[in-house]
């Protein structure tokens, strides 16, 4: 019969094995894995479609992917601002940079018509980056129904319905090589901070959607070659997050490089920026009550800070 020490050793191994596995994956993803973004350049030209690309992370990602050899289809809501971004990128090379304009918070879009001008283009990367939520003091019942619906449309429904019309095209493109769809998520989706319930819920929706759509493309028929990823994002300096950069808060440009470096790593949910992964890990270790206390304090301070800047 096994001794008590043997039982304890077995329990220790059972607890430690998943952490060790996670640690090995961590080292692989952030320090050893070579960048594979070139695998999405399987036809010339290969296009990356990025939503919310007129500023912040989306704009930086557009620049980074253009530098890596992609032609671009960019989305924004302000035509003048979008055109300036496209012109700036076009000046650096000869590849195509197209754009389309749509307010992601609005209802009633005809997504098929929106994508019609791009129907013959070989899209191999889609980054659903559009999204945001203001930090406000009001609780849910102090906000209008329309305001709440705007948050859900912008963060969850727009990417979902755009994906729906793109899917047949993406499957066709995947006949010549891998195709990837990324949803830019948020750590808020995992920790549901106070006053950000709808934003957090919308990001959680994207997380569930990415996992299900990924499995959809893998099972019951020959895998289509279209894969889905949900990215965990902590604080990033951007137009809507005008705070100083630090190790935990990269600039949009630095963050875009991290996204490209990890793209297509084979995980369906991960933090592309290493310090955000460490934060995620420590939050999981701390437990919900402690995290909620810290988050409430941090969100309160951030709301005051952004309020002063506005
Ligand atoms: N920055 C962070 O700390 C952070 C943290 C977690 C997650 N994220 C996620 O990262 C993504 C990008 O955020 P960001 O910080 O880069 O934001 P940002 O600097 O404000 O840029 C957002 C982009 O989306 C566009 N956009 C916003 N609302 C839109 C709408 N209703 N219709 C069409 N376009 C719209 C903006 O257009 P305009 O140029 O016209 O404003 C801009 O191009 C979002 O999904 C956000 O939830 C960011």
């Amino acid at each position: 019969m096994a001794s008590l020490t043997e039982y304890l050793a077995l329990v220790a191994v059972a607890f430690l094995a998943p952490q060790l596995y996670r640690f090995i994956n961590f080292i692989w993803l952030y320090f050893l894995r070579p960048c594979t973004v070139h695998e999405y350049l399987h036809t010339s030209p290969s296009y990356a479609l990025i939503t919310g690309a007129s500023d912040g992370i989306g704009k930086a990602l557009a620049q980074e992917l253009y530098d890596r050899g992609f032609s671009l289809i960019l989305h924004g809501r302000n035509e003048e601002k979008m055109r300036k971004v496209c012109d700036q990128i076009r000046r650096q090379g000869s590849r195509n940079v197209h754009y389309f304009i749509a307010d992601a918070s609005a209802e009633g879009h005809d997504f098929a018509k929106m994508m019609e001008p791009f129907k013959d283009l070989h899209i191999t990367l889609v980054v659903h980056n559009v999204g945001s939520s203001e930090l406000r003091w009001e609780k849910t019942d102090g906000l209008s129904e329309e305001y709440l619906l705007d948050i859900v449309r912008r963060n969850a429904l727009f990417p979902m319905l755009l994906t729906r019309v793109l899917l047949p095209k993406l499957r066709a493109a995947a006949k010549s090589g891998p195709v990837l769809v990324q949803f830019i998520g948020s750590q808020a989706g995992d920790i549901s901070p106070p006053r950000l319930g709808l934003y957090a819920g919308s990001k959680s929706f994207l997380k569930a959607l990415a996992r299900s759509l990924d499995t959809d493309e893998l099972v019951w028929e020959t895998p289509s070659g279209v894969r889905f990823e949900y990215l965990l994002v902590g604080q990033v300096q951007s137009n809507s997050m005008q705070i100083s950069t630090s190790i935990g808060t990269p600039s949009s440009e630095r963050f875009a490089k991290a996204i490209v470096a990890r793209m297509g790593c084979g995980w369906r949910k991960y933090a592309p920026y290493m310090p955000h992964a460490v934060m995620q890990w420590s939050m999981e270790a701390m437990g919900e009550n402690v995290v909620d206390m810290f988050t409430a304090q941090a969100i309160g301070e951030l709301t005051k800070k952004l309020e002063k800047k506005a």
Side-chain angles (χ1 to χ4, degrees), residues 143-184:
L143 299 166
S144 73
E145 204 174 295
E146 190 50 27
Y147 179 85
L148 299 176
L149 286 171
D150 274 8
I151 298 177
V152 178
R153 283 190 212 113
R154 174 166 76 243
N155 289 288
L157 300 182
F158 188 84
M160 185 265 282
L161 294 171
L162 185 57
T163 300
R164 178 181 167 274
V165 299
L166 282 172
L167 260 171
K169 262 196 72 54
L170 299 178
R171 289 192 196 109
K175 292 196 191 314
S176 60
V179 169
L180 180 67
V181 181
Q182 292 190 319
F183 294 100
I184 300 290

mmCIF file of all heavy atoms in Angstrom, residues 143-184:
data_model
loop_
_atom_site.group_PDB
_atom_site.id
_atom_site.type_symbol
_atom_site.label_atom_id
_atom_site.label_comp_id
_atom_site.label_asym_id
_atom_site.label_seq_id
_atom_site.Cartn_x
_atom_site.Cartn_y
_atom_site.Cartn_z
ATOM 1 N N LEU A 143 -27.816 54.862 -17.339
ATOM 2 C CA LEU A 143 -27.437 55.068 -18.740
ATOM 3 C C LEU A 143 -28.620 54.718 -19.640
ATOM 4 O O LEU A 143 -29.431 53.836 -19.302
ATOM 5 C CB LEU A 143 -26.242 54.175 -19.096
ATOM 6 C CG LEU A 143 -24.970 54.441 -18.267
ATOM 7 C CD1 LEU A 143 -23.970 53.304 -18.430
ATOM 8 C CD2 LEU A 143 -24.340 55.767 -18.672
ATOM 9 N N SER A 144 -28.703 55.383 -20.789
ATOM 10 C CA SER A 144 -29.851 55.129 -21.670
ATOM 11 C C SER A 144 -29.719 53.757 -22.347
ATOM 12 O O SER A 144 -28.606 53.227 -22.504
ATOM 13 C CB SER A 144 -29.939 56.213 -22.748
ATOM 14 O OG SER A 144 -28.908 56.009 -23.694
ATOM 15 N N GLU A 145 -30.871 53.243 -22.753
ATOM 16 C CA GLU A 145 -30.888 51.942 -23.439
ATOM 17 C C GLU A 145 -30.034 52.010 -24.710
ATOM 18 O O GLU A 145 -29.283 51.081 -25.013
ATOM 19 C CB GLU A 145 -32.344 51.619 -23.781
ATOM 20 C CG GLU A 145 -32.632 50.156 -23.959
ATOM 21 C CD GLU A 145 -34.113 49.915 -24.160
ATOM 22 O OE1 GLU A 145 -34.901 50.176 -23.231
ATOM 23 O OE2 GLU A 145 -34.474 49.462 -25.265
ATOM 24 N N GLU A 146 -30.150 53.144 -25.434
ATOM 25 C CA GLU A 146 -29.417 53.290 -26.693
ATOM 26 C C GLU A 146 -27.901 53.272 -26.443
ATOM 27 O O GLU A 146 -27.146 52.645 -27.185
ATOM 28 C CB GLU A 146 -29.855 54.601 -27.377
ATOM 29 C CG GLU A 146 -29.377 54.789 -28.808
ATOM 30 C CD GLU A 146 -29.636 53.599 -29.740
ATOM 31 O OE1 GLU A 146 -30.590 52.827 -29.510
ATOM 32 O OE2 GLU A 146 -28.837 53.421 -30.687
ATOM 33 N N TYR A 147 -27.482 53.927 -25.357
ATOM 34 C CA TYR A 147 -26.053 53.971 -25.013
ATOM 35 C C TYR A 147 -25.532 52.544 -24.752
ATOM 36 O O TYR A 147 -24.465 52.155 -25.219
ATOM 37 C CB TYR A 147 -25.863 54.856 -23.762
ATOM 38 C CG TYR A 147 -24.429 54.956 -23.308
ATOM 39 C CD1 TYR A 147 -23.564 55.889 -23.878
ATOM 40 C CD2 TYR A 147 -23.936 54.110 -22.315
ATOM 41 C CE1 TYR A 147 -22.240 55.974 -23.469
ATOM 42 C CE2 TYR A 147 -22.609 54.186 -21.906
ATOM 43 C CZ TYR A 147 -21.770 55.124 -22.488
ATOM 44 O OH TYR A 147 -20.454 55.193 -22.087
ATOM 45 N N LEU A 148 -26.339 51.775 -24.033
ATOM 46 C CA LEU A 148 -25.925 50.398 -23.713
ATOM 47 C C LEU A 148 -25.876 49.534 -24.972
ATOM 48 O O LEU A 148 -24.956 48.737 -25.169
ATOM 49 C CB LEU A 148 -26.874 49.791 -22.683
ATOM 50 C CG LEU A 148 -26.923 50.524 -21.320
ATOM 51 C CD1 LEU A 148 -27.958 49.903 -20.405
ATOM 52 C CD2 LEU A 148 -25.559 50.512 -20.641
ATOM 53 N N LEU A 149 -26.887 49.741 -25.845
ATOM 54 C CA LEU A 149 -26.908 48.956 -27.097
ATOM 55 C C LEU A 149 -25.715 49.300 -27.990
ATOM 56 O O LEU A 149 -25.155 48.429 -28.654
ATOM 57 C CB LEU A 149 -28.223 49.194 -27.845
ATOM 58 C CG LEU A 149 -29.443 48.514 -27.221
ATOM 59 C CD1 LEU A 149 -30.729 48.982 -27.888
ATOM 60 C CD2 LEU A 149 -29.329 46.989 -27.323
ATOM 61 N N ASP A 150 -25.333 50.588 -27.981
ATOM 62 C CA ASP A 150 -24.155 51.016 -28.761
ATOM 63 C C ASP A 150 -22.919 50.210 -28.362
ATOM 64 O O ASP A 150 -22.135 49.791 -29.209
ATOM 65 C CB ASP A 150 -23.838 52.496 -28.472
ATOM 66 C CG ASP A 150 -24.638 53.434 -29.349
ATOM 67 O OD1 ASP A 150 -25.540 52.951 -30.055
ATOM 68 O OD2 ASP A 150 -24.363 54.650 -29.298
ATOM 69 N N ILE A 151 -22.755 50.019 -27.043
ATOM 70 C CA ILE A 151 -21.563 49.294 -26.558
ATOM 71 C C ILE A 151 -21.571 47.865 -27.101
ATOM 72 O O ILE A 151 -20.566 47.354 -27.587
ATOM 73 C CB ILE A 151 -21.531 49.276 -25.006
ATOM 74 C CG1 ILE A 151 -21.450 50.690 -24.464
ATOM 75 C CG2 ILE A 151 -20.364 48.421 -24.486
ATOM 76 C CD1 ILE A 151 -21.485 50.782 -22.939
ATOM 77 N N VAL A 152 -22.736 47.240 -27.037
ATOM 78 C CA VAL A 152 -22.822 45.835 -27.475
ATOM 79 C C VAL A 152 -22.651 45.728 -28.992
ATOM 80 O O VAL A 152 -21.954 44.840 -29.489
ATOM 81 C CB VAL A 152 -24.157 45.204 -27.020
ATOM 82 C CG1 VAL A 152 -24.270 43.766 -27.503
ATOM 83 C CG2 VAL A 152 -24.271 45.265 -25.509
ATOM 84 N N ARG A 153 -23.265 46.662 -29.728
ATOM 85 C CA ARG A 153 -23.134 46.604 -31.193
ATOM 86 C C ARG A 153 -21.686 46.780 -31.613
ATOM 87 O O ARG A 153 -21.158 46.041 -32.438
ATOM 88 C CB ARG A 153 -23.977 47.719 -31.841
ATOM 89 C CG ARG A 153 -25.446 47.414 -31.883
ATOM 90 C CD ARG A 153 -26.156 48.449 -32.765
ATOM 91 N NE ARG A 153 -27.492 48.664 -32.270
ATOM 92 C CZ ARG A 153 -27.946 49.783 -31.734
ATOM 93 N NH1 ARG A 153 -27.178 50.843 -31.644
ATOM 94 N NH2 ARG A 153 -29.183 49.862 -31.303
ATOM 95 N N ARG A 154 -21.030 47.786 -31.025
ATOM 96 C CA ARG A 154 -19.649 48.120 -31.417
ATOM 97 C C ARG A 154 -18.668 47.012 -31.053
ATOM 98 O O ARG A 154 -17.805 46.656 -31.834
ATOM 99 C CB ARG A 154 -19.293 49.425 -30.693
ATOM 100 C CG ARG A 154 -17.901 49.903 -30.803
ATOM 101 C CD ARG A 154 -17.809 51.344 -30.327
ATOM 102 N NE ARG A 154 -17.844 51.522 -28.885
ATOM 103 C CZ ARG A 154 -18.795 52.183 -28.217
ATOM 104 N NH1 ARG A 154 -19.826 52.698 -28.843
ATOM 105 N NH2 ARG A 154 -18.734 52.328 -26.910
ATOM 106 N N ASN A 155 -18.831 46.442 -29.872
ATOM 107 C CA ASN A 155 -17.841 45.479 -29.373
ATOM 108 C C ASN A 155 -18.127 44.030 -29.736
ATOM 109 O O ASN A 155 -17.208 43.220 -29.810
ATOM 110 C CB ASN A 155 -17.723 45.598 -27.846
ATOM 111 C CG ASN A 155 -17.040 46.881 -27.421
ATOM 112 O OD1 ASN A 155 -15.846 47.027 -27.601
ATOM 113 N ND2 ASN A 155 -17.805 47.828 -26.895
ATOM 114 N N ALA A 156 -19.409 43.703 -29.919
ATOM 115 C CA ALA A 156 -19.739 42.282 -30.122
ATOM 116 C C ALA A 156 -20.452 42.007 -31.452
ATOM 117 O O ALA A 156 -20.028 41.134 -32.213
ATOM 118 C CB ALA A 156 -20.608 41.791 -28.958
ATOM 119 N N LEU A 157 -21.533 42.763 -31.735
ATOM 120 C CA LEU A 157 -22.355 42.394 -32.896
ATOM 121 C C LEU A 157 -21.681 42.734 -34.226
ATOM 122 O O LEU A 157 -21.766 41.963 -35.183
ATOM 123 C CB LEU A 157 -23.729 43.070 -32.799
ATOM 124 C CG LEU A 157 -24.533 42.700 -31.550
ATOM 125 C CD1 LEU A 157 -25.892 43.364 -31.551
ATOM 126 C CD2 LEU A 157 -24.696 41.188 -31.433
ATOM 127 N N PHE A 158 -21.011 43.883 -34.291
ATOM 128 C CA PHE A 158 -20.342 44.277 -35.538
ATOM 129 C C PHE A 158 -19.313 43.212 -35.956
ATOM 130 O O PHE A 158 -19.358 42.707 -37.086
ATOM 131 C CB PHE A 158 -19.718 45.668 -35.381
ATOM 132 C CG PHE A 158 -19.168 46.254 -36.643
ATOM 133 C CD1 PHE A 158 -19.989 46.924 -37.547
ATOM 134 C CD2 PHE A 158 -17.821 46.120 -36.956
ATOM 135 C CE1 PHE A 158 -19.482 47.456 -38.728
ATOM 136 C CE2 PHE A 158 -17.300 46.652 -38.127
ATOM 137 C CZ PHE A 158 -18.126 47.322 -39.013
ATOM 138 N N PRO A 159 -18.386 42.811 -35.050
ATOM 139 C CA PRO A 159 -17.432 41.755 -35.465
ATOM 140 C C PRO A 159 -18.102 40.435 -35.805
ATOM 141 O O PRO A 159 -17.685 39.753 -36.754
ATOM 142 C CB PRO A 159 -16.515 41.591 -34.245
ATOM 143 C CG PRO A 159 -17.009 42.487 -33.180
ATOM 144 C CD PRO A 159 -18.059 43.388 -33.731
ATOM 145 N N MET A 160 -19.164 40.098 -35.090
ATOM 146 C CA MET A 160 -19.826 38.811 -35.351
ATOM 147 C C MET A 160 -20.485 38.809 -36.738
ATOM 148 O O MET A 160 -20.316 37.876 -37.521
ATOM 149 C CB MET A 160 -20.867 38.553 -34.244
ATOM 150 C CG MET A 160 -21.548 37.225 -34.290
ATOM 151 S SD MET A 160 -23.107 37.308 -35.150
ATOM 152 C CE MET A 160 -24.158 38.038 -33.922
ATOM 153 N N LEU A 161 -21.207 39.898 -37.061
ATOM 154 C CA LEU A 161 -21.933 39.932 -38.335
ATOM 155 C C LEU A 161 -20.987 40.125 -39.523
ATOM 156 O O LEU A 161 -21.234 39.605 -40.612
ATOM 157 C CB LEU A 161 -23.014 41.023 -38.289
ATOM 158 C CG LEU A 161 -24.130 40.714 -37.277
ATOM 159 C CD1 LEU A 161 -25.062 41.904 -37.089
ATOM 160 C CD2 LEU A 161 -24.930 39.470 -37.685
ATOM 161 N N LEU A 162 -19.883 40.827 -39.284
ATOM 162 C CA LEU A 162 -18.889 40.979 -40.357
ATOM 163 C C LEU A 162 -18.230 39.620 -40.647
ATOM 164 O O LEU A 162 -18.026 39.236 -41.803
ATOM 165 C CB LEU A 162 -17.842 42.027 -39.945
ATOM 166 C CG LEU A 162 -16.790 42.408 -40.968
ATOM 167 C CD1 LEU A 162 -17.433 42.910 -42.258
ATOM 168 C CD2 LEU A 162 -15.861 43.495 -40.422
ATOM 169 N N THR A 163 -17.945 38.885 -39.587
ATOM 170 C CA THR A 163 -17.349 37.542 -39.754
ATOM 171 C C THR A 163 -18.294 36.654 -40.561
ATOM 172 O O THR A 163 -17.865 35.904 -41.438
ATOM 173 C CB THR A 163 -17.089 36.906 -38.370
ATOM 174 O OG1 THR A 163 -16.204 37.748 -37.652
ATOM 175 C CG2 THR A 163 -16.468 35.524 -38.491
ATOM 176 N N ARG A 164 -19.580 36.768 -40.251
ATOM 177 C CA ARG A 164 -20.582 35.924 -40.933
ATOM 178 C C ARG A 164 -20.502 36.094 -42.460
ATOM 179 O O ARG A 164 -20.472 35.102 -43.193
ATOM 180 C CB ARG A 164 -21.978 36.286 -40.422
ATOM 181 C CG ARG A 164 -23.085 35.519 -41.091
ATOM 182 C CD ARG A 164 -24.448 35.931 -40.570
ATOM 183 N NE ARG A 164 -25.482 35.414 -41.444
ATOM 184 C CZ ARG A 164 -25.906 36.030 -42.531
ATOM 185 N NH1 ARG A 164 -25.402 37.200 -42.873
ATOM 186 N NH2 ARG A 164 -26.833 35.470 -43.287
ATOM 187 N N VAL A 165 -20.426 37.342 -42.939
ATOM 188 C CA VAL A 165 -20.389 37.517 -44.398
ATOM 189 C C VAL A 165 -19.007 37.196 -44.984
ATOM 190 O O VAL A 165 -18.909 36.832 -46.147
ATOM 191 C CB VAL A 165 -20.828 38.923 -44.882
ATOM 192 C CG1 VAL A 165 -22.241 39.236 -44.507
ATOM 193 C CG2 VAL A 165 -19.907 40.006 -44.413
ATOM 194 N N LEU A 166 -17.986 37.308 -44.156
ATOM 195 C CA LEU A 166 -16.638 37.048 -44.687
ATOM 196 C C LEU A 166 -16.324 35.560 -44.801
ATOM 197 O O LEU A 166 -15.485 35.147 -45.617
ATOM 198 C CB LEU A 166 -15.584 37.709 -43.787
ATOM 199 C CG LEU A 166 -15.391 39.220 -43.934
ATOM 200 C CD1 LEU A 166 -14.460 39.744 -42.845
ATOM 201 C CD2 LEU A 166 -14.812 39.561 -45.316
ATOM 202 N N LEU A 167 -16.980 34.744 -43.980
ATOM 203 C CA LEU A 167 -16.581 33.330 -43.875
ATOM 204 C C LEU A 167 -16.444 32.568 -45.204
ATOM 205 O O LEU A 167 -15.412 31.912 -45.420
ATOM 206 C CB LEU A 167 -17.526 32.599 -42.921
ATOM 207 C CG LEU A 167 -16.954 32.406 -41.518
ATOM 208 C CD1 LEU A 167 -18.026 31.886 -40.565
ATOM 209 C CD2 LEU A 167 -15.760 31.469 -41.525
ATOM 210 N N PRO A 168 -17.448 32.644 -46.111
ATOM 211 C CA PRO A 168 -17.263 31.883 -47.372
ATOM 212 C C PRO A 168 -16.015 32.310 -48.138
ATOM 213 O O PRO A 168 -15.303 31.472 -48.699
ATOM 214 C CB PRO A 168 -18.541 32.219 -48.166
ATOM 215 C CG PRO A 168 -19.529 32.682 -47.136
ATOM 216 C CD PRO A 168 -18.758 33.311 -46.039
ATOM 217 N N LYS A 169 -15.742 33.611 -48.149
ATOM 218 C CA LYS A 169 -14.542 34.140 -48.827
ATOM 219 C C LYS A 169 -13.266 33.621 -48.156
ATOM 220 O O LYS A 169 -12.292 33.281 -48.809
ATOM 221 C CB LYS A 169 -14.526 35.672 -48.669
ATOM 222 C CG LYS A 169 -15.054 36.427 -49.830
ATOM 223 C CD LYS A 169 -14.654 37.880 -49.769
ATOM 224 C CE LYS A 169 -13.185 38.122 -50.049
ATOM 225 N NZ LYS A 169 -12.668 37.577 -51.295
ATOM 226 N N LEU A 170 -13.306 33.597 -46.818
ATOM 227 C CA LEU A 170 -12.113 33.168 -46.076
ATOM 228 C C LEU A 170 -11.839 31.690 -46.328
ATOM 229 O O LEU A 170 -10.688 31.271 -46.479
ATOM 230 C CB LEU A 170 -12.284 33.447 -44.577
ATOM 231 C CG LEU A 170 -12.473 34.927 -44.196
ATOM 232 C CD1 LEU A 170 -12.676 35.081 -42.689
ATOM 233 C CD2 LEU A 170 -11.279 35.768 -44.650
ATOM 234 N N ARG A 171 -12.923 30.895 -46.381
ATOM 235 C CA ARG A 171 -12.736 29.453 -46.663
ATOM 236 C C ARG A 171 -12.143 29.270 -48.057
ATOM 237 O O ARG A 171 -11.290 28.402 -48.268
ATOM 238 C CB ARG A 171 -14.071 28.708 -46.564
ATOM 239 C CG ARG A 171 -14.563 28.589 -45.144
ATOM 240 C CD ARG A 171 -15.726 27.604 -45.045
ATOM 241 N NE ARG A 171 -16.404 27.788 -43.787
ATOM 242 C CZ ARG A 171 -17.621 28.328 -43.646
ATOM 243 N NH1 ARG A 171 -18.309 28.714 -44.700
ATOM 244 N NH2 ARG A 171 -18.143 28.472 -42.443
ATOM 245 N N ALA A 172 -12.580 30.088 -49.001
ATOM 246 C CA ALA A 172 -12.027 29.986 -50.368
ATOM 247 C C ALA A 172 -10.537 30.346 -50.350
ATOM 248 O O ALA A 172 -9.718 29.658 -50.970
ATOM 249 C CB ALA A 172 -12.801 30.907 -51.301
ATOM 250 N N ALA A 173 -10.194 31.414 -49.610
ATOM 251 C CA ALA A 173 -8.784 31.828 -49.533
ATOM 252 C C ALA A 173 -7.932 30.751 -48.858
ATOM 253 O O ALA A 173 -6.759 30.560 -49.186
ATOM 254 C CB ALA A 173 -8.658 33.145 -48.771
ATOM 255 N N ALA A 174 -8.551 30.030 -47.921
ATOM 256 C CA ALA A 174 -7.805 29.017 -47.150
ATOM 257 C C ALA A 174 -7.436 27.798 -47.993
ATOM 258 O O ALA A 174 -6.679 26.936 -47.535
ATOM 259 C CB ALA A 174 -8.620 28.591 -45.934
ATOM 260 N N LYS A 175 -7.946 27.753 -49.241
ATOM 261 C CA LYS A 175 -7.563 26.627 -50.111
ATOM 262 C C LYS A 175 -6.089 26.745 -50.518
ATOM 263 O O LYS A 175 -5.463 25.772 -50.902
ATOM 264 C CB LYS A 175 -8.463 26.582 -51.344
ATOM 265 C CG LYS A 175 -9.900 26.210 -50.994
ATOM 266 C CD LYS A 175 -10.671 25.796 -52.231
ATOM 267 C CE LYS A 175 -12.169 25.675 -51.982
ATOM 268 N NZ LYS A 175 -12.565 24.976 -50.789
ATOM 269 N N SER A 176 -5.540 27.967 -50.448
ATOM 270 C CA SER A 176 -4.125 28.090 -50.847
ATOM 271 C C SER A 176 -3.191 28.308 -49.661
ATOM 272 O O SER A 176 -1.993 28.517 -49.852
ATOM 273 C CB SER A 176 -3.960 29.220 -51.875
ATOM 274 O OG SER A 176 -4.386 30.436 -51.334
ATOM 275 N N GLY A 177 -3.715 28.287 -48.429
ATOM 276 C CA GLY A 177 -2.847 28.472 -47.259
ATOM 277 C C GLY A 177 -3.670 28.874 -46.049
ATOM 278 O O GLY A 177 -4.879 29.054 -46.152
ATOM 279 N N PRO A 178 -3.023 29.032 -44.900
ATOM 280 C CA PRO A 178 -3.782 29.325 -43.685
ATOM 281 C C PRO A 178 -4.437 30.704 -43.688
ATOM 282 O O PRO A 178 -3.931 31.634 -44.311
ATOM 283 C CB PRO A 178 -2.712 29.249 -42.587
ATOM 284 C CG PRO A 178 -1.430 29.519 -43.268
ATOM 285 C CD PRO A 178 -1.568 28.985 -44.661
ATOM 286 N N VAL A 179 -5.570 30.782 -42.998
ATOM 287 C CA VAL A 179 -6.306 32.045 -42.860
ATOM 288 C C VAL A 179 -6.628 32.210 -41.376
ATOM 289 O O VAL A 179 -6.978 31.239 -40.700
ATOM 290 C CB VAL A 179 -7.615 32.007 -43.708
ATOM 291 C CG1 VAL A 179 -8.519 33.181 -43.379
ATOM 292 C CG2 VAL A 179 -7.277 32.013 -45.200
ATOM 293 N N LEU A 180 -6.480 33.432 -40.877
ATOM 294 C CA LEU A 180 -6.669 33.665 -39.445
ATOM 295 C C LEU A 180 -7.618 34.832 -39.187
ATOM 296 O O LEU A 180 -7.513 35.875 -39.827
ATOM 297 C CB LEU A 180 -5.303 33.975 -38.802
ATOM 298 C CG LEU A 180 -5.288 34.236 -37.309
ATOM 299 C CD1 LEU A 180 -5.646 32.970 -36.520
ATOM 300 C CD2 LEU A 180 -3.914 34.731 -36.852
ATOM 301 N N VAL A 181 -8.521 34.628 -38.222
ATOM 302 C CA VAL A 181 -9.403 35.710 -37.767
ATOM 303 C C VAL A 181 -9.107 35.949 -36.295
ATOM 304 O O VAL A 181 -9.166 35.021 -35.491
ATOM 305 C CB VAL A 181 -10.898 35.329 -37.944
ATOM 306 C CG1 VAL A 181 -11.797 36.480 -37.480
ATOM 307 C CG2 VAL A 181 -11.196 34.956 -39.388
ATOM 308 N N GLN A 182 -8.758 37.185 -35.961
ATOM 309 C CA GLN A 182 -8.470 37.517 -34.558
ATOM 310 C C GLN A 182 -9.522 38.475 -34.011
ATOM 311 O O GLN A 182 -9.908 39.427 -34.685
ATOM 312 C CB GLN A 182 -7.111 38.213 -34.445
ATOM 313 C CG GLN A 182 -5.929 37.324 -34.748
ATOM 314 C CD GLN A 182 -4.614 38.020 -34.387
ATOM 315 O OE1 GLN A 182 -4.450 39.201 -34.631
ATOM 316 N NE2 GLN A 182 -3.686 37.270 -33.840
ATOM 317 N N PHE A 183 -9.932 38.220 -32.791
ATOM 318 C CA PHE A 183 -10.807 39.162 -32.082
ATOM 319 C C PHE A 183 -9.962 39.820 -31.000
ATOM 320 O O PHE A 183 -9.401 39.120 -30.141
ATOM 321 C CB PHE A 183 -11.989 38.430 -31.438
ATOM 322 C CG PHE A 183 -12.942 37.823 -32.431
ATOM 323 C CD1 PHE A 183 -12.881 36.469 -32.736
ATOM 324 C CD2 PHE A 183 -13.899 38.609 -33.063
ATOM 325 C CE1 PHE A 183 -13.758 35.907 -33.652
ATOM 326 C CE2 PHE A 183 -14.777 38.052 -33.982
ATOM 327 C CZ PHE A 183 -14.705 36.697 -34.279
ATOM 328 N N ILE A 184 -9.878 41.143 -31.041
ATOM 329 C CA ILE A 184 -9.140 41.851 -29.990
ATOM 330 C C ILE A 184 -10.040 41.908 -28.761
ATOM 331 O O ILE A 184 -11.093 42.554 -28.762
ATOM 332 C CB ILE A 184 -8.747 43.278 -30.448
ATOM 333 C CG1 ILE A 184 -7.855 43.222 -31.690
ATOM 334 C CG2 ILE A 184 -8.054 44.025 -29.303
ATOM 335 C CD1 ILE A 184 -6.460 42.696 -31.517
#
